[in-house]
PDB file of all heavy atoms in Angstrom:
ATOM      1  N   VAL A  39       4.634  22.997  17.481  1.00 97.00           N
ATOM      2  CA  VAL A  39       3.440  23.753  17.060  1.00 97.00           C
ATOM      3  C   VAL A  39       2.410  23.694  18.194  1.00 97.00           C
ATOM      4  O   VAL A  39       2.533  22.878  19.110  1.00 97.00           O
ATOM      5  CB  VAL A  39       2.792  23.156  15.777  1.00 97.00           C
ATOM      6  CG1 VAL A  39       3.652  23.374  14.553  1.00 97.00           C
ATOM      7  CG2 VAL A  39       2.477  21.671  15.952  1.00 97.00           C
ATOM      8  N   GLU A  40       1.386  24.544  18.071  1.00 97.00           N
ATOM      9  CA  GLU A  40       0.371  24.561  19.134  1.00 97.00           C
ATOM     10  C   GLU A  40      -0.578  23.374  18.960  1.00 97.00           C
ATOM     11  O   GLU A  40      -1.503  23.397  18.136  1.00 97.00           O
ATOM     12  CB  GLU A  40      -0.400  25.880  19.056  1.00 97.00           C
ATOM     13  CG  GLU A  40      -1.096  26.216  20.353  1.00 97.00           C
ATOM     14  CD  GLU A  40      -1.909  27.486  20.230  1.00 97.00           C
ATOM     15  OE1 GLU A  40      -1.487  28.391  19.483  1.00 97.00           O
ATOM     16  OE2 GLU A  40      -2.968  27.540  20.872  1.00 97.00           O
ATOM     17  N   THR A  41      -0.282  22.315  19.668  1.00 97.00           N
ATOM     18  CA  THR A  41      -1.127  21.116  19.609  1.00 97.00           C
ATOM     19  C   THR A  41      -0.916  20.330  20.894  1.00 97.00           C
ATOM     20  O   THR A  41      -0.192  20.775  21.783  1.00 97.00           O
ATOM     21  CB  THR A  41      -0.783  20.268  18.357  1.00 97.00           C
ATOM     22  OG1 THR A  41      -1.769  19.251  18.216  1.00 97.00           O
ATOM     23  CG2 THR A  41       0.595  19.623  18.425  1.00 97.00           C
ATOM     24  N   SER A  42      -1.562  19.169  20.994  1.00 98.00           N
ATOM     25  CA  SER A  42      -1.366  18.361  22.201  1.00 98.00           C
ATOM     26  C   SER A  42      -1.477  16.887  21.849  1.00 98.00           C
ATOM     27  O   SER A  42      -2.084  16.521  20.827  1.00 98.00           O
ATOM     28  CB  SER A  42      -2.454  18.695  23.234  1.00 98.00           C
ATOM     29  OG  SER A  42      -3.713  18.303  22.706  1.00 98.00           O
ATOM     30  N   TRP A  45      -5.142  15.899  21.537  1.00 98.00           N
ATOM     31  CA  TRP A  45      -5.820  16.299  20.291  1.00 98.00           C
ATOM     32  C   TRP A  45      -5.417  15.368  19.154  1.00 98.00           C
ATOM     33  O   TRP A  45      -6.262  14.861  18.406  1.00 98.00           O
ATOM     34  CB  TRP A  45      -5.475  17.746  19.923  1.00 98.00           C
ATOM     35  CG  TRP A  45      -6.378  18.318  18.850  1.00 98.00           C
ATOM     36  CD1 TRP A  45      -7.497  19.067  19.039  1.00 98.00           C
ATOM     37  CD2 TRP A  45      -6.245  18.159  17.423  1.00 98.00           C
ATOM     38  NE1 TRP A  45      -8.073  19.395  17.834  1.00 98.00           N
ATOM     39  CE2 TRP A  45      -7.324  18.848  16.815  1.00 98.00           C
ATOM     40  CE3 TRP A  45      -5.341  17.513  16.597  1.00 98.00           C
ATOM     41  CZ2 TRP A  45      -7.511  18.915  15.435  1.00 98.00           C
ATOM     42  CZ3 TRP A  45      -5.524  17.555  15.213  1.00 98.00           C
ATOM     43  CH2 TRP A  45      -6.600  18.257  14.656  1.00 98.00           C
ATOM     44  N   ILE A  46      -4.116  15.113  19.036  1.00 98.00           N
ATOM     45  CA  ILE A  46      -3.637  14.308  17.899  1.00 98.00           C
ATOM     46  C   ILE A  46      -4.173  12.877  17.994  1.00 98.00           C
ATOM     47  O   ILE A  46      -4.671  12.310  17.019  1.00 98.00           O
ATOM     48  CB  ILE A  46      -2.092  14.312  17.817  1.00 98.00           C
ATOM     49  CG1 ILE A  46      -1.557  15.741  17.684  1.00 98.00           C
ATOM     50  CG2 ILE A  46      -1.617  13.474  16.641  1.00 98.00           C
ATOM     51  CD1 ILE A  46      -0.035  15.859  17.782  1.00 98.00           C
ATOM     52  N   ARG A  49      -8.044  12.854  17.257  1.00 97.00           N
ATOM     53  CA  ARG A  49      -8.464  13.157  15.873  1.00 97.00           C
ATOM     54  C   ARG A  49      -7.856  12.236  14.835  1.00 97.00           C
ATOM     55  O   ARG A  49      -8.361  12.157  13.713  1.00 97.00           O
ATOM     56  CB  ARG A  49      -8.086  14.591  15.499  1.00 97.00           C
ATOM     57  CG  ARG A  49      -8.675  15.674  16.346  1.00 97.00           C
ATOM     58  CD  ARG A  49     -10.168  15.814  16.094  1.00 97.00           C
ATOM     59  NE  ARG A  49     -10.729  16.807  16.978  1.00 97.00           N
ATOM     60  CZ  ARG A  49     -11.344  17.906  16.571  1.00 97.00           C
ATOM     61  NH1 ARG A  49     -11.502  18.138  15.298  1.00 97.00           N
ATOM     62  NH2 ARG A  49     -11.826  18.751  17.463  1.00 97.00           N
ATOM     63  N   THR A  50      -6.713  11.581  15.169  1.00 98.00           N
ATOM     64  CA  THR A  50      -6.014  10.810  14.127  1.00 98.00           C
ATOM     65  C   THR A  50      -5.623   9.392  14.551  1.00 98.00           C
ATOM     66  O   THR A  50      -5.379   8.548  13.699  1.00 98.00           O
ATOM     67  CB  THR A  50      -4.701  11.516  13.706  1.00 98.00           C
ATOM     68  OG1 THR A  50      -3.763  11.422  14.783  1.00 98.00           O
ATOM     69  CG2 THR A  50      -4.919  12.969  13.361  1.00 98.00           C
ATOM     70  N   CYS A 125      -0.609   8.413  -1.970  1.00 98.00           N
ATOM     71  CA  CYS A 125      -0.897   7.381  -0.959  1.00 98.00           C
ATOM     72  C   CYS A 125      -1.525   6.120  -1.557  1.00 98.00           C
ATOM     73  O   CYS A 125      -1.620   5.095  -0.892  1.00 98.00           O
ATOM     74  CB  CYS A 125      -1.792   7.949   0.130  1.00 98.00           C
ATOM     75  SG  CYS A 125      -1.031   9.328   0.984  1.00 98.00           S
ATOM     76  N   ARG A 164       0.366  23.029  11.858  1.00 97.00           N
ATOM     77  CA  ARG A 164      -0.177  21.976  12.728  1.00 97.00           C
ATOM     78  C   ARG A 164      -1.291  21.180  12.055  1.00 97.00           C
ATOM     79  O   ARG A 164      -1.640  20.084  12.510  1.00 97.00           O
ATOM     80  CB  ARG A 164      -0.687  22.578  14.040  1.00 97.00           C
ATOM     81  CG  ARG A 164      -1.938  23.422  13.886  1.00 97.00           C
ATOM     82  CD  ARG A 164      -2.452  23.882  15.226  1.00 97.00           C
ATOM     83  NE  ARG A 164      -3.702  24.625  15.078  1.00 97.00           N
ATOM     84  CZ  ARG A 164      -4.441  25.031  16.067  1.00 97.00           C
ATOM     85  NH1 ARG A 164      -4.055  24.795  17.313  1.00 97.00           N
ATOM     86  NH2 ARG A 164      -5.562  25.679  15.850  1.00 97.00           N
ATOM     87  N   SER A 165      -1.881  21.726  10.979  1.00 96.00           N
ATOM     88  CA  SER A 165      -2.990  20.990  10.357  1.00 96.00           C
ATOM     89  C   SER A 165      -2.485  19.825   9.496  1.00 96.00           C
ATOM     90  O   SER A 165      -3.261  18.942   9.132  1.00 96.00           O
ATOM     91  CB  SER A 165      -3.854  21.933   9.516  1.00 96.00           C
ATOM     92  OG  SER A 165      -3.159  22.341   8.363  1.00 96.00           O
ATOM     93  N   ILE A 168       1.094  16.906  12.032  1.00 97.00           N
ATOM     94  CA  ILE A 168       0.763  15.897  13.048  1.00 97.00           C
ATOM     95  C   ILE A 168       0.476  14.523  12.430  1.00 97.00           C
ATOM     96  O   ILE A 168       0.461  13.520  13.122  1.00 97.00           O
ATOM     97  CB  ILE A 168      -0.478  16.351  13.857  1.00 97.00           C
ATOM     98  CG1 ILE A 168      -1.547  16.913  12.884  1.00 97.00           C
ATOM     99  CG2 ILE A 168      -0.101  17.451  14.830  1.00 97.00           C
ATOM    100  CD1 ILE A 168      -2.783  16.217  12.857  1.00 97.00           C
ATOM    101  N   LEU A 169       0.242  14.529  11.114  1.00 98.00           N
ATOM    102  CA  LEU A 169      -0.295  13.322  10.489  1.00 98.00           C
ATOM    103  C   LEU A 169       0.769  12.378   9.915  1.00 98.00           C
ATOM    104  O   LEU A 169       0.597  11.166   9.953  1.00 98.00           O
ATOM    105  CB  LEU A 169      -1.228  13.767   9.344  1.00 98.00           C
ATOM    106  CG  LEU A 169      -2.452  12.939   9.011  1.00 98.00           C
ATOM    107  CD1 LEU A 169      -3.264  12.608  10.228  1.00 98.00           C
ATOM    108  CD2 LEU A 169      -3.297  13.684   7.975  1.00 98.00           C
ATOM    109  N   PHE A 170       1.868  12.952   9.386  1.00 98.00           N
ATOM    110  CA  PHE A 170       2.727  12.155   8.496  1.00 98.00           C
ATOM    111  C   PHE A 170       3.996  11.607   9.155  1.00 98.00           C
ATOM    112  O   PHE A 170       4.443  12.116  10.177  1.00 98.00           O
ATOM    113  CB  PHE A 170       3.099  13.000   7.272  1.00 98.00           C
ATOM    114  CG  PHE A 170       1.891  13.421   6.478  1.00 98.00           C
ATOM    115  CD1 PHE A 170       1.392  14.718   6.570  1.00 98.00           C
ATOM    116  CD2 PHE A 170       1.231  12.508   5.673  1.00 98.00           C
ATOM    117  CE1 PHE A 170       0.260  15.097   5.852  1.00 98.00           C
ATOM    118  CE2 PHE A 170       0.103  12.883   4.949  1.00 98.00           C
ATOM    119  CZ  PHE A 170      -0.383  14.183   5.039  1.00 98.00           C
ATOM    120  N   LEU A 201      -5.319  18.200  -1.973  1.00 97.00           N
ATOM    121  CA  LEU A 201      -4.078  17.655  -1.398  1.00 97.00           C
ATOM    122  C   LEU A 201      -2.962  17.903  -2.413  1.00 97.00           C
ATOM    123  O   LEU A 201      -2.890  17.225  -3.440  1.00 97.00           O
ATOM    124  CB  LEU A 201      -4.274  16.153  -1.120  1.00 97.00           C
ATOM    125  CG  LEU A 201      -3.239  15.394  -0.331  1.00 97.00           C
ATOM    126  CD1 LEU A 201      -2.783  16.139   0.896  1.00 97.00           C
ATOM    127  CD2 LEU A 201      -3.812  14.044   0.094  1.00 97.00           C
ATOM    128  N   MET A 224      -3.179  20.607   2.572  1.00 97.00           N
ATOM    129  CA  MET A 224      -4.293  19.655   2.568  1.00 97.00           C
ATOM    130  C   MET A 224      -5.550  20.286   3.122  1.00 97.00           C
ATOM    131  O   MET A 224      -5.508  20.986   4.127  1.00 97.00           O
ATOM    132  CB  MET A 224      -3.852  18.481   3.467  1.00 97.00           C
ATOM    133  CG  MET A 224      -4.860  17.414   3.722  1.00 97.00           C
ATOM    134  SD  MET A 224      -4.112  16.112   4.715  1.00 97.00           S
ATOM    135  CE  MET A 224      -4.151  16.821   6.351  1.00 97.00           C
ATOM    136  N   ASN A 225      -6.659  20.022   2.454  1.00 97.00           N
ATOM    137  CA  ASN A 225      -7.952  20.339   3.038  1.00 97.00           C
ATOM    138  C   ASN A 225      -8.418  19.056   3.733  1.00 97.00           C
ATOM    139  O   ASN A 225      -9.034  18.175   3.122  1.00 97.00           O
ATOM    140  CB  ASN A 225      -8.926  20.769   1.928  1.00 97.00           C
ATOM    141  CG  ASN A 225     -10.293  21.129   2.475  1.00 97.00           C
ATOM    142  OD1 ASN A 225     -10.693  20.644   3.531  1.00 97.00           O
ATOM    143  ND2 ASN A 225     -11.002  21.986   1.772  1.00 97.00           N
ATOM    144  N   GLY A 226      -8.033  18.954   5.007  1.00 96.00           N
ATOM    145  CA  GLY A 226      -8.241  17.706   5.761  1.00 96.00           C
ATOM    146  C   GLY A 226      -9.676  17.230   5.751  1.00 96.00           C
ATOM    147  O   GLY A 226      -9.947  16.040   5.577  1.00 96.00           O
ATOM    148  N   LYS A 227     -10.594  18.168   5.912  1.00 97.00           N
ATOM    149  CA  LYS A 227     -12.015  17.780   5.992  1.00 97.00           C
ATOM    150  C   LYS A 227     -12.490  17.143   4.683  1.00 97.00           C
ATOM    151  O   LYS A 227     -13.212  16.149   4.690  1.00 97.00           O
ATOM    152  CB  LYS A 227     -12.867  19.025   6.278  1.00 97.00           C
ATOM    153  CG  LYS A 227     -12.960  19.333   7.747  1.00 97.00           C
ATOM    154  CD  LYS A 227     -14.241  20.099   8.045  1.00 97.00           C
ATOM    155  CE  LYS A 227     -14.299  20.573   9.484  1.00 97.00           C
ATOM    156  NZ  LYS A 227     -13.843  19.587  10.474  1.00 97.00           N
ATOM    157  N   VAL A 229     -10.602  15.679   2.371  1.00 97.00           N
ATOM    158  CA  VAL A 229      -9.959  14.377   2.186  1.00 97.00           C
ATOM    159  C   VAL A 229     -10.669  13.330   3.046  1.00 97.00           C
ATOM    160  O   VAL A 229     -10.937  12.205   2.604  1.00 97.00           O
ATOM    161  CB  VAL A 229      -8.450  14.422   2.554  1.00 97.00           C
ATOM    162  CG1 VAL A 229      -7.814  13.050   2.420  1.00 97.00           C
ATOM    163  CG2 VAL A 229      -7.710  15.421   1.680  1.00 97.00           C
ATOM    164  N   PHE A 230     -10.988  13.720   4.267  1.00 97.00           N
ATOM    165  CA  PHE A 230     -11.668  12.811   5.191  1.00 97.00           C
ATOM    166  C   PHE A 230     -13.009  12.346   4.602  1.00 97.00           C
ATOM    167  O   PHE A 230     -13.303  11.148   4.541  1.00 97.00           O
ATOM    168  CB  PHE A 230     -11.887  13.538   6.528  1.00 97.00           C
ATOM    169  CG  PHE A 230     -12.252  12.616   7.655  1.00 97.00           C
ATOM    170  CD1 PHE A 230     -11.280  12.181   8.540  1.00 97.00           C
ATOM    171  CD2 PHE A 230     -13.556  12.188   7.831  1.00 97.00           C
ATOM    172  CE1 PHE A 230     -11.609  11.327   9.582  1.00 97.00           C
ATOM    173  CE2 PHE A 230     -13.892  11.337   8.860  1.00 97.00           C
ATOM    174  CZ  PHE A 230     -12.923  10.899   9.740  1.00 97.00           C
ATOM    175  N   ALA A 233     -12.521  10.010   1.654  1.00 98.00           N
ATOM    176  CA  ALA A 233     -12.069   8.659   2.022  1.00 98.00           C
ATOM    177  C   ALA A 233     -13.202   7.828   2.621  1.00 98.00           C
ATOM    178  O   ALA A 233     -13.389   6.670   2.236  1.00 98.00           O
ATOM    179  CB  ALA A 233     -10.895   8.748   2.996  1.00 98.00           C
ATOM    180  N   HIS A 261      -5.076   1.816   3.622  1.00 98.00           N
ATOM    181  CA  HIS A 261      -4.054   2.852   3.796  1.00 98.00           C
ATOM    182  C   HIS A 261      -4.269   3.499   5.171  1.00 98.00           C
ATOM    183  O   HIS A 261      -5.379   3.891   5.524  1.00 98.00           O
ATOM    184  CB  HIS A 261      -4.177   3.883   2.676  1.00 98.00           C
ATOM    185  CG  HIS A 261      -3.420   5.145   2.934  1.00 98.00           C
ATOM    186  ND1 HIS A 261      -2.111   5.134   3.390  1.00 98.00           N
ATOM    187  CD2 HIS A 261      -3.773   6.450   2.821  1.00 98.00           C
ATOM    188  CE1 HIS A 261      -1.707   6.383   3.540  1.00 98.00           C
ATOM    189  NE2 HIS A 261      -2.693   7.202   3.201  1.00 98.00           N
ATOM    190  N   ALA A 263      -4.238   6.337   7.014  1.00 97.00           N
ATOM    191  CA  ALA A 263      -4.200   7.805   6.903  1.00 97.00           C
ATOM    192  C   ALA A 263      -4.660   8.452   8.192  1.00 97.00           C
ATOM    193  O   ALA A 263      -4.159   9.505   8.589  1.00 97.00           O
ATOM    194  CB  ALA A 263      -5.073   8.276   5.757  1.00 97.00           C
ATOM    195  N   ASN A 264      -5.633   7.827   8.827  1.00 97.00           N
ATOM    196  CA  ASN A 264      -6.219   8.356  10.047  1.00 97.00           C
ATOM    197  C   ASN A 264      -7.049   7.210  10.626  1.00 97.00           C
ATOM    198  O   ASN A 264      -7.874   6.625   9.906  1.00 97.00           O
ATOM    199  CB  ASN A 264      -7.103   9.573   9.710  1.00 97.00           C
ATOM    200  CG  ASN A 264      -7.745  10.190  10.933  1.00 97.00           C
ATOM    201  OD1 ASN A 264      -8.088   9.485  11.887  1.00 97.00           O
ATOM    202  ND2 ASN A 264      -7.915  11.496  10.914  1.00 97.00           N
ATOM    203  N   ARG A 266      -9.506   7.248  12.490  1.00 98.00           N
ATOM    204  CA  ARG A 266     -10.950   7.519  12.413  1.00 98.00           C
ATOM    205  C   ARG A 266     -11.513   7.164  11.041  1.00 98.00           C
ATOM    206  O   ARG A 266     -12.669   6.755  10.935  1.00 98.00           O
ATOM    207  CB  ARG A 266     -11.220   9.001  12.715  1.00 98.00           C
ATOM    208  CG  ARG A 266     -11.336   9.307  14.209  1.00 98.00           C
ATOM    209  CD  ARG A 266     -11.244  10.806  14.464  1.00 98.00           C
ATOM    210  NE  ARG A 266     -12.239  11.564  13.749  1.00 98.00           N
ATOM    211  CZ  ARG A 266     -12.026  12.768  13.165  1.00 98.00           C
ATOM    212  NH1 ARG A 266     -10.833  13.314  13.211  1.00 98.00           N
ATOM    213  NH2 ARG A 266     -12.989  13.403  12.568  1.00 98.00           N
ATOM    214  N   ILE A 267     -10.691   7.302  10.003  1.00 98.00           N
ATOM    215  CA  ILE A 267     -11.156   6.918   8.660  1.00 98.00           C
ATOM    216  C   ILE A 267     -11.366   5.406   8.617  1.00 98.00           C
ATOM    217  O   ILE A 267     -12.390   4.915   8.151  1.00 98.00           O
ATOM    218  CB  ILE A 267     -10.151   7.372   7.567  1.00 98.00           C
ATOM    219  CG1 ILE A 267     -10.125   8.901   7.476  1.00 98.00           C
ATOM    220  CG2 ILE A 267     -10.500   6.756   6.216  1.00 98.00           C
ATOM    221  CD1 ILE A 267      -9.118   9.485   6.474  1.00 98.00           C
ATOM    222  N   ASN A 291       0.885   8.617   9.095  1.00 98.00           N
ATOM    223  CA  ASN A 291       0.553   8.284   7.707  1.00 98.00           C
ATOM    224  C   ASN A 291       1.853   8.273   6.893  1.00 98.00           C
ATOM    225  O   ASN A 291       2.471   9.319   6.706  1.00 98.00           O
ATOM    226  CB  ASN A 291      -0.434   9.353   7.199  1.00 98.00           C
ATOM    227  CG  ASN A 291      -0.760   9.209   5.721  1.00 98.00           C
ATOM    228  OD1 ASN A 291      -0.079   8.509   4.977  1.00 98.00           O
ATOM    229  ND2 ASN A 291      -1.801   9.903   5.297  1.00 98.00           N
ATOM    230  N   PHE A 321      -6.101   5.287  -0.921  1.00 97.00           N
ATOM    231  CA  PHE A 321      -6.667   6.531  -1.450  1.00 97.00           C
ATOM    232  C   PHE A 321      -5.656   7.630  -1.184  1.00 97.00           C
ATOM    233  O   PHE A 321      -4.845   7.520  -0.268  1.00 97.00           O
ATOM    234  CB  PHE A 321      -7.998   6.871  -0.751  1.00 97.00           C
ATOM    235  CG  PHE A 321      -7.866   6.978   0.741  1.00 97.00           C
ATOM    236  CD1 PHE A 321      -7.580   8.195   1.343  1.00 97.00           C
ATOM    237  CD2 PHE A 321      -7.967   5.852   1.538  1.00 97.00           C
ATOM    238  CE1 PHE A 321      -7.423   8.289   2.722  1.00 97.00           C
ATOM    239  CE2 PHE A 321      -7.800   5.936   2.912  1.00 97.00           C
ATOM    240  CZ  PHE A 321      -7.530   7.157   3.504  1.00 97.00           C
ATOM    241  N   GLY A 322      -5.708   8.683  -1.974  1.00 97.00           N
ATOM    242  CA  GLY A 322      -4.777   9.775  -1.707  1.00 97.00           C
ATOM    243  C   GLY A 322      -4.777  10.816  -2.798  1.00 97.00           C
ATOM    244  O   GLY A 322      -5.677  10.857  -3.653  1.00 97.00           O
ATOM    245  N   ALA A 323      -3.711  11.638  -2.773  1.00 97.00           N
ATOM    246  CA  ALA A 323      -3.635  12.787  -3.667  1.00 97.00           C
ATOM    247  C   ALA A 323      -3.842  12.353  -5.108  1.00 97.00           C
ATOM    248  O   ALA A 323      -3.503  11.251  -5.518  1.00 97.00           O
ATOM    249  CB  ALA A 323      -2.282  13.482  -3.508  1.00 97.00           C
TER     250      ALA A 323
HETATM  251  N1  LIG B 403      -3.816  20.624  17.256  1.00 76.69           N
HETATM  252  C1  LIG B 403      -4.787  21.273  17.878  1.00 76.69           C
HETATM  253  N2  LIG B 403      -5.809  21.868  17.232  1.00 76.69           N
HETATM  254  C2  LIG B 403      -5.829  21.777  15.893  1.00 76.69           C
HETATM  255  C3  LIG B 403      -4.828  21.097  15.165  1.00 76.69           C
HETATM  256  C4  LIG B 403      -3.790  20.508  15.907  1.00 76.69           C
HETATM  257  N3  LIG B 403      -2.787  19.832  15.324  1.00 76.69           N
HETATM  258  N4  LIG B 403      -5.120  21.148  13.851  1.00 76.69           N
HETATM  259  C5  LIG B 403      -6.257  21.851  13.748  1.00 76.69           C
HETATM  260  N5  LIG B 403      -6.692  22.223  14.974  1.00 76.69           N
HETATM  261  C6  LIG B 403      -7.882  22.986  15.346  1.00 76.69           C
HETATM  262  C7  LIG B 403      -8.418  23.793  14.187  1.00 76.69           C
HETATM  263  O1  LIG B 403      -7.804  25.067  14.145  1.00 76.69           O
HETATM  264  C8  LIG B 403      -9.879  23.883  14.524  1.00 76.69           C
HETATM  265  O2  LIG B 403     -10.062  24.865  15.507  1.00 76.69           O
HETATM  266  P1  LIG B 403     -11.365  25.800  15.490  1.00 76.69           P
HETATM  267  O3  LIG B 403     -12.519  24.885  15.696  1.00 76.69           O
HETATM  268  O4  LIG B 403     -11.115  26.715  16.633  1.00 76.69           O
HETATM  269  O5  LIG B 403     -11.358  26.464  14.154  1.00 76.69           O
HETATM  270  C9  LIG B 403     -10.182  22.546  15.195  1.00 76.69           C
HETATM  271  O6  LIG B 403      -8.914  22.045  15.653  1.00 76.69           O
HETATM  272  C10 LIG B 403     -10.791  21.522  14.248  1.00 76.69           C
HETATM  273  O7  LIG B 403     -10.025  21.500  13.058  1.00 76.69           O
HETATM  274  P2  LIG B 403     -10.402  20.603  11.851  1.00 76.69           P
HETATM  275  O8  LIG B 403      -9.454  20.850  10.727  1.00 76.69           O
HETATM  276  O9  LIG B 403     -11.867  20.756  11.600  1.00 76.69           O
HETATM  277  O10 LIG B 403     -10.131  19.152  12.466  1.00 76.69           O
HETATM  278  P3  LIG B 403     -10.538  17.760  11.928  1.00 76.69           P
HETATM  279  O11 LIG B 403     -11.376  17.054  12.886  1.00 76.69           O
HETATM  280  O12 LIG B 403     -11.005  17.814  10.495  1.00 76.69           O
HETATM  281  O13 LIG B 403      -9.125  17.004  11.937  1.00 76.69           O
HETATM  282  C11 LIG B 403      -7.458  16.235  10.420  1.00 76.69           C
HETATM  283  C12 LIG B 403      -8.094  17.450  11.096  1.00 76.69           C
HETATM  284  C13 LIG B 403      -6.363  16.695   9.484  1.00 76.69           C
HETATM  285  C14 LIG B 403      -6.879  15.329  11.494  1.00 76.69           C
HETATM  286  C15 LIG B 403      -8.567  15.451   9.640  1.00 76.69           C
HETATM  287  O14 LIG B 403      -9.313  16.360   8.854  1.00 76.69           O
HETATM  288  C16 LIG B 403      -8.021  14.372   8.760  1.00 76.69           C
HETATM  289  O15 LIG B 403      -7.374  13.456   9.207  1.00 76.69           O
HETATM  290  N6  LIG B 403      -8.356  14.393   7.459  1.00 76.69           N
HETATM  291  C17 LIG B 403      -7.890  13.419   6.529  1.00 76.69           C
HETATM  292  C18 LIG B 403      -6.489  13.725   6.150  1.00 76.69           C
HETATM  293  C19 LIG B 403      -5.834  12.590   5.419  1.00 76.69           C
HETATM  294  O16 LIG B 403      -6.179  11.454   5.576  1.00 76.69           O
HETATM  295  N7  LIG B 403      -4.846  12.940   4.617  1.00 76.69           N
HETATM  296  C20 LIG B 403      -4.059  12.025   3.927  1.00 76.69           C
HETATM  297  C21 LIG B 403      -4.791  11.415   2.815  1.00 76.69           C
HETATM  298  S1  LIG B 403      -3.826  10.226   2.043  1.00 76.69           S
END
Side-chain angles (χ1 to χ4, degrees):
V39 290
E40 201 183 326
T41 190
S42 65
W45 193 95
I46 302 172
R49 300 289 177 120
T50 70
C125 299
R164 70 175 184 173
S165 70
I168 44 118
L169 213 49
F170 299 103
L201 190 45
M224 175 177 79
N225 181 334
K227 275 206 187 318
V229 177
F230 195 98
H261 166 46
N264 180 326
R266 275 165 57 219
I267 293 177
N291 174 345
F321 57 91

